[in-house]
Amino acid sequence: EVQLVESGGGLVQPGGSLRLSCAVSGFTFSNYWMHWVRQAPGKGLVWVSRINKDGSSTTYADSVKGRFTISRDNTKNTLYLQMNSLRAEDTAVYYCARVRASSGRDFDCWGQGTLVTVSS
Amino acid sequence: QTVVTQEPSFSVSPGGTVTLTCGLSSGSVSSSDSPSWYQQTPGQAPRTLIYNTGTRSSGVPDRFSGSILGNKAALTITGAQADDESDYYCMLYMDNGIYLFGGGTKLTVL
């Protein structure tokens, strides 16, 4: 069974840092591009970042560029999102998502999300 | 700044048909934007319904269909059921490798 399990969320002060993890199982992690998507409380989905299969290529939304870093460890089957200089507007549930292999441009599996709250 | 537009809300009667749309603030949506559609109920992760404009994801009932209508992507639900009451999001792939979600449509079935 394919599973994506996020962790690492919590309460952090503005300007602080947090690292999210997404542990995957049930498929060959190194064969898939991966993404992070977030959703502020009561708001819509927002794409955050993507990483290619071997971690050599990354892309970010303008709102997080320069502050967030996506990475992966294919030996540990884990995706990461390092979040620095956090702001109140970064408060959201963060989902990791797997890119569908056949299409390359949509998500076929999602984790359940981890909540990040940025507040003093 | 490109924005993906969706109707904020829509209502459909049980058994009825509804079409939700996904447009661009500047320009037209085409199949090359690889529109995909996601369903989300409160407190749950999104579920993929449609990808590559009109391909249903595994396990998705055939009452859900996707297409391009005019200059927008469209999600049509034919024979709406009570458990279709959800939020629906479209997503487009932009040329520079950026993905954009629409603001979502809250669908009420009553």
Side-chain angles (χ1 to χ4, degrees), chain A residues 2-13:
Chain A
V2 173
Q3 282 196 316
L4 291 75
V5 180
E6 301 92 338
S7 62
L11 176 63
V12 61
Q13 291 189 338

Side-chain angles (χ1 to χ4, degrees), chain B residues 74-94:
Chain B
L75 173 71
T76 300
I77 307 173
T78 304
Q81 299 182 1
D83 60 3
D84 295 335
E85 188 161 292
S86 301
D87 295 324
Y88 292 85
Y89 296 91
C90 69
M91 185 180 77
L92 303 177
Y93 172 81
M94 313 310 289

Side-chain angles (χ1 to χ4, degrees), chain A residues 35 39 45 100 105 107 111, chain B residues 32 34 40 45 48 57 99 101:
Chain A
H35 291 234
Q39 185 171 36
L45 300 172
R100 189 186 307 273
R105 293 182 175 180
F107 311 134
Chain B
S32 64
S34 302
Q40 188 183 37
T48 308
S57 195
Y99 293 72
F101 281 98

Side-chain angles (χ1 to χ4, degrees), chain A residues 35 37 39 43-47 50 59-62 95 99-100 102-113, chain B residues 1 32-34 36 38 40 43-48 51-52 57-58 89 91 93 96-103:
Chain A
H35 291 234
V37 174
Q39 185 171 36
K43 302 297 185 182
L45 300 172
V46 176
W47 178 79
R50 71 168 183 178
T59 313
Y60 299 91
D62 285 345
Y95 296 100
V99 173
R100 189 186 307 273
S102 61
S103 71
R105 293 182 175 180
D106 75 290
F107 311 134
D108 62 352
C109 295
W110 296 72
Q112 283 303 304
Chain B
Q1 180 91 359
S32 64
D33 299 318
S34 302
S36 52
Y38 304 86
Q40 188 183 37
Q44 299 296 313
R47 168 197 181 198
T48 308
Y51 64 97
N52 278 352
S57 195
S58 177
Y89 296 91
M91 185 180 77
Y93 172 81
N96 54 4
I98 302 296
Y99 293 72
L100 288 178
F101 281 98

